[in-house]
Amino acid sequence: MAKEREPLKPEELVSDGASIKMINKAVEEGVNTCFTRGETQENKCKFGIDGVCCKICHMGPCRITPKAPRGTCGADADTIVARNFLREVAAGAAAHSDHGRHLALQLKHVAQGKCADYKLTDIKALHRIAAKFAIPIEDREDNDIALELAELFIGEFNSQEEYLKILTLAPEKTRQMWEKNNIKPKGIDRMVVESMHRTHMGVDHDYRNILQHAFRTSLADGWGGARLASMCGDILFGTPAPVKSEANLGVLEEKNVNIIVHGHEPSLSEMMAAVVNDPEIKKYAKTVGAEGITLAGLCCTANEILMRRGVKVAGNFLQQELAIITGAVEMMVVDVQCVMPSLPEVASSYHTEIVTTSEIAHTIGATHAVFDEKNAYESAKKLVKRAIDNFKNRDSAKVAVPNESKPLVAGFSVETIKHMLGGVFRASFRPLNDAIIQGRIRGVVGIVGCNNIKTKTDSYINTLTKELIKRNVLILKTGCAAQASAKAGKLTPETALEEAGFGLREVCETVGMPPILHMGSCVDNCRILDAATEIVHEGGLGEILAQVPAVGVAPEWMSEKAVTIGCYFVASGVDVILGQPFHTAGSENVRKYLSEEATEMFGGGFYEIQDPMDAVEKIMELIESARENLGINKKSERKLLDMKDRREL
Ligand code: MSK
């Protein structure tokens, strides 16, 4: 009989000390977490891994093997793998885009005066974005402009025959490439519905046609739903600007009422952040014996309120259960996406109340309290009061907050980067383009996505980040990958600059910009493409996104949204490295399409690389080859910057 493998030690599962302590505490207190459940799920189904299990119709499930190369209906491995892949892309696009729809509707309601507790916070952003769509702004009320913009965005979901208007934000040559390859998306909802139709039994059987629609659907997300989510967020809550904060479980405070907001959408968390500063609420917290209230975020909700309000980050995806295990969390308020269904079970060993707030996201064992946007402040206030009332139920014997957190700077929207590079009056990407052309900065890499139990948490992300800045690569980050850097203390300019290569350091010090830029949440991956578009428009680094020396990496990804993000990066011409493979190993043709054929069509393709150092090598190869193609790799004499150069930069 095969000997059972010893369970992994916490040090082998996670990178940060706070998480190690909480995993040990969970074991001592007999609480199951994803780390223990992961052990019980070790024997993964090979058919699932390879993507060759088809359960689309009820003649199945059918599984493809060398002896059974076709399912009952006749579908082969190529069709089955491609259909499964498209369904993942559709789910990811649906999640981001529903988030976008929610914000577009909120923008409309605010403009109509139906959500009195919200306002158009960033009028400059409203005007900037309206102008992009040729919406007149002169001599008009801001509410009128916002209403017209909101209607335009809502139309992007409904459009049946017209291509998305938002695609005009991409460089012209990139749009021509989409046209040529027939992947320009029409209405966002239509693309998702069509994905489900095509993959229904007996419809689309040509793997190439199916995968072409996967790329089309992904563009409806990256340049559509997600992009408009970021834009609405900026208008409603403010365009992010540099802000200081802290990250990791040590941001929770033992003497305070601790409330965690978790999920993705910013509407509720923004209101919670406002309520915890209400003097009446602060006073109320004192009446229960607490010194104050700490509001902290998890996953992308954390990123949303960190970027705009500097609210502290309790942790990233695999820390959601560990936060409860501190024993010091009165309430965890969740909305949508990346929320583990285990939370109420973990919370049952402590006093923490889990509150679900979205109509579409209930969890057995949680309290369900629908967040009413039309009465947002009162809705949020009720929740905060309820959390304060729960303080008395704490078991002090179970409270142990790890004393570990790191300072950080976040808030790097494209507008902020422009201002940092060019100053308030000459905001521009020119200095960055010049630094890339001169070779001081070799290229730009977006490191994005989640944590995954299959990888030691944060380790791939942090190794990759460290090695790339050493090689003079500017890093743009979002999602839980950005929080990994924050927890490692690498989101402060000083610490990261110590590790940056000479050229990158010189440029960053001159313009006062850190070498690792936190750009926001999952929907903000479109900000990375926006930055790449600015680089193209600025000139000197190609006319199409595929020519820019830029690569996207999802080192520890796990969600369907990450599959979609990867696809819209590739369809935009950016090579993407995956630290975890897709479930496509069962079809050589599908794999070839996603890597080689995609590169031929779009200028970017997928690479699955599970070792971070191998990924570093591949990324540098891709960047250097893009530089060669641009003709900017000619050896030039190394010249140190003098004061005149610095001023010009
Ligand atoms: S939260 S999708 S685990 S990045 Fe956006 Fe993190 Fe991935 Fe969720």
Side-chain angles (χ1 to χ4, degrees):
M1 212 170 96
K3 215 173 129 202
E4 269 194 28
R5 188 176 64 71
E6 282 285 305
L8 290 171
K9 297 189 184 74
E11 295 77 11
E12 296 168 299
L13 294 165
V14 293
S15 301
D16 69 290
S19 296
I20 293 172
K21 283 181 193 152
M22 289 306 99
I23 293 175
N24 282 327
K25 185 170 184 282
V27 172
E28 276 164 29
E29 293 171 356
V31 180
N32 270 320
T33 63
C34 56
F35 299 100
T36 43
R37 292 190 303 272
E39 294 279 341
T40 65
Q41 289 293 336
E42 264 246 301
N43 293 326
K44 305 275 183 230
C45 167
K46 178 87 169 77
F47 298 101
I49 290 175
D50 291 350
V52 290
C53 174
C54 181
K55 50 188 186 60
I56 275 170
C57 89
H58 282 244
M59 295 194 290
C62 293
R63 303 181 304 181
I64 300 303
T65 66
K67 281 189 183 157
R70 286 184 184 266
T72 308
C73 72
D76 63 8
D78 295 341
T79 305
I80 293 171
V81 171
R83 284 197 302 213
N84 288 338
F85 186 81
L86 174 54
R87 284 197 168 198
E88 285 191 63
V89 173
H96 274 161
S97 300
D98 222 19
H99 174 160
R101 181 201 323 275
H102 183 190
L103 286 172
L105 287 171
Q106 193 178 358
L107 182 63
K108 177 179 167 180
H109 297 154
V110 171
Q112 290 172 326
K114 290 182 183 167
C115 288
D117 295 335
Y118 296 99
K119 60 178 181 168
L120 305 173
T121 300
D122 191 341
I123 298 300
K124 262 195 192 165
L126 171 67
H127 291 181
R128 185 180 67 232
I129 295 164
K132 284 181 198 284
F133 297 99
I135 292 177
I137 52 177
E138 292 298 320
D139 303 322
R140 288 185 78 189
E141 292 285 328
D142 289 328
N143 278 340
D144 287 346
I145 301 169
L147 190 57
E148 189 175 340
L149 184 63
E151 297 286 9
L152 184 147
F153 285 159
I154 293 162
E156 296 289 73
F157 290 90
N158 307 338
S159 157
Q160 301 302 315
E161 293 180 301
E162 277 178 41
Y163 294 114
L164 295 185
K165 295 188 174 65
I166 220 167
L167 300 179
T168 52
L169 302 186
E172 198 187 334
K173 291 247 158 109
T174 298
R175 279 182 275 143
Q176 287 168 3
M177 178 271 282
W178 291 337
E179 181 101 49
K180 184 173 155 222
N181 290 296
N182 188 19
I183 55 166
K184 273 172 74 181
K186 292 178 182 159
I188 300 162
D189 289 350
R190 178 175 168 182
M191 293 301 98
V192 175
V193 169
E194 204 177 293
S195 298
M196 298 311 285
H197 182 188
R198 280 168 183 259
T199 55
H200 186 275
M201 192 269 153
V203 185
D204 202 352
H205 301 135
D206 175 343
Y207 73 93
R208 281 199 176 91
N209 208 39
I210 297 168
L211 295 173
Q212 184 189 43
H213 192 66
F215 284 113
R216 195 180 289 124
T217 303
S218 76
L219 289 178
D221 173 22
W223 290 88
R227 187 79 194 265
L228 68 86
S230 276
M231 291 192 279
C232 290
D234 287 355
I235 297 167
L236 288 167
F237 311 117
T239 303
V243 66
K244 285 185 180 173
S245 189
E246 269 177 63
N248 212 343
L249 296 171
V251 304
L252 302 173
E253 291 177 66
E254 290 194 4
K255 293 181 178 159
N256 281 4
V257 170
N258 290 298
I259 304 172
I260 290 183
V261 279
H262 173 25
H264 278 79
E265 293 183 359
S267 316
L268 165 65
S269 49
E270 277 284 330
M271 216 33 77
M272 295 287 281
V275 168
V276 294
N277 286 316
D278 186 324
E280 180 203 323
I281 286 291
K282 284 183 172 176
K283 210 164 139 198
Y284 187 57
K286 298 237 190 262
T287 64
V288 300
E291 283 188 0
I293 310 167
T294 300
L295 180 76
L298 269 167
C299 283
C300 281
T301 293
N303 287 327
E304 294 282 355
I305 44 175
L306 163 70
M307 295 286 284
R308 298 190 173 99
R309 287 183 174 259
V311 171
K312 294 176 182 178
V313 177
N316 47 4
F317 176 62
L318 290 180
Q319 287 181 296
Q320 54 188 287
E321 294 170 309
L322 304 182
I324 298 171
I325 288 156
T326 62
V329 176
E330 275 54 56
M331 182 178 280
M332 188 181 281
V333 185
V334 306
D335 55 22
V336 289
Q337 303 166 24
C338 304
V339 176
M340 289 190 185
S342 62
L343 294 180
E345 198 202 324
V346 175
S348 68
S349 296
Y350 305 90
H351 73 303
T352 309
E353 181 172 21
I354 309 293
V355 180
T356 55
T357 55
S358 165
E359 279 290 12
I360 65 161
H362 292 219
T363 301
I364 301 283
T367 306
H368 188 63
V370 174
F371 176 61
D372 176 9
E373 275 174 16
K374 305 236 162 75
N375 197 9
Y377 196 81
E378 275 314 307
S379 237
K381 203 166 169 183
K382 254 193 214 161
L383 287 175
V384 174
K385 275 193 166 170
R386 201 176 157 104
I388 294 171
D389 290 338
N390 196 20
F391 185 74
K392 63 176 183 301
N393 297 321
R394 254 195 208 183
D395 179 351
S396 57
K398 284 190 173 175
V399 174
V401 176
N403 185 20
E404 289 177 46
S405 66
K406 294 279 188 201
L408 67 95
V409 180
F412 296 97
S413 56
V414 168
E415 289 66 34
T416 292
I417 298 173
K418 260 186 177 175
H419 284 141
M420 279 186 318
L421 289 167
V424 180
F425 300 109
R426 283 189 311 156
S428 143
F429 266 59
R430 192 68 251 160
L432 177 62
N433 280 36
D434 288 343
I436 296 174
I437 292 166
Q438 292 154 2
R440 294 178 204 283
I441 293 179
R442 308 304 299 174
V444 180
V445 169
I447 301 182
V448 311
C450 332
N451 298 122
N452 187 323
I453 200 81
K454 293 176 180 169
T455 309
K456 177 176 170 179
T457 304
D458 299 342
S459 65
Y460 192 136
I461 298 167
N462 287 339
T463 305
L464 188 70
T465 308
K466 183 177 170 175
E467 294 299 325
L468 288 176
I469 59 169
K470 215 196 271 178
R471 288 164 176 76
N472 295 307
V473 172
L474 179 69
I475 305 295
L476 309 181
K477 287 206 158 190
T478 60
C480 292
Q483 294 165 343
S485 284
K487 286 155 60 188
K490 304 299 180 194
L491 286 192
T492 58
E494 308 77 32
T495 45
L497 280 173
E498 277 166 23
E499 291 175 5
F502 187 78
L504 177 63
R505 181 177 180 149
E506 202 175 36
V507 174
C508 288
E509 279 177 343
T510 307
V511 298
M513 176 179 83
I516 307 169
L517 303 175
H518 187 341
M519 295 189 81
S521 65
C522 307
V523 291
D524 293 326
N525 283 312
C526 57
R527 292 192 203 267
I528 297 180
L529 291 179
D530 190 13
T533 304
E534 290 284 345
I535 290 174
V536 169
H537 287 155
E538 196 54 55
L541 289 171
E543 295 178 312
I544 186 164
L545 292 174
Q547 285 177 285
V548 178
V551 177
V553 196
E556 302 176 24
W557 71 277
M558 63 85 204
S559 86
E560 288 164 319
K561 288 181 290 173
V563 181
T564 319
I565 295 164
C567 282
Y568 72 67
F569 267 62
V570 163
S572 301
V574 181
D575 286 305
V576 169
I577 311 273
L578 302 166
Q580 287 295 326
F582 286 139
H583 290 158
T584 52
S587 165
E588 221 14 72
N589 281 334
V590 168
R591 291 171 66 75
K592 202 165 154 238
Y593 186 94
L594 295 175
S595 51
E596 294 164 32
E597 292 182 40
T599 306
E600 279 161 29
M601 291 183 292
F602 316 133
F606 284 107
Y607 299 85
E608 293 171 351
I609 304 178
Q610 283 175 274
D611 181 279
M613 292 312 292
D614 291 345
V616 172
E617 217 170 282
K618 185 70 200 174
I619 290 164
M620 295 314 295
E621 183 192 313
L622 291 167
I623 284 178
E624 293 305 326
S625 124
R627 296 181 60 86
E628 281 296 329
N629 292 338
L630 286 167
I632 57 171
N633 252 359
K634 294 185 204 90
K635 280 250 174 307
S636 61
E637 205 187 312
R638 182 83 187 99
K639 178 176 173 278
L640 291 180
L641 292 176
D642 58 21
M643 271 321 284
K644 186 171 161 275
D645 295 328
R646 283 174 187 258
R647 255 181 249 122
E648 276 172 13
L649 194 65

